[in-house]
Amino acid sequence: MNVQHWLEEPKPGDPACAYETVVCKACTRLHFINRDTRKLLGERE
């Protein structure tokens, strides 16, 4: 299931590997999203 969520754009100087925690509205679980690539932690390429 795809769920949309708005993430603030990374600021200059922020580490590229920084993850943001998001509470999913579909499953109510916590997910970690890479702010640079917009992919989930552990998601395959």
Side-chain angles (χ1 to χ4, degrees), residues 8-27:
E8 185 178 328
E9 290 294 321
K11 296 178 180 122
D14 281 354
C17 62
Y19 284 86
E20 184 167 331
T21 56
V22 173
V23 177
C24 179
K25 294 184 185 281
C27 70

Side-chain angles (χ1 to χ4, degrees), residues 1 5-8 12-13 15 19 25-27 29 32-35 37-38:
M1 177 183 300
H5 183 82
W6 181 83
L7 294 177
E8 185 178 328
Y19 284 86
K25 294 184 185 281
C27 70
R29 296 177 75 186
F32 296 93
I33 301 175
N34 185 302
R35 295 181 68 197
T37 63
R38 306 287 198 230

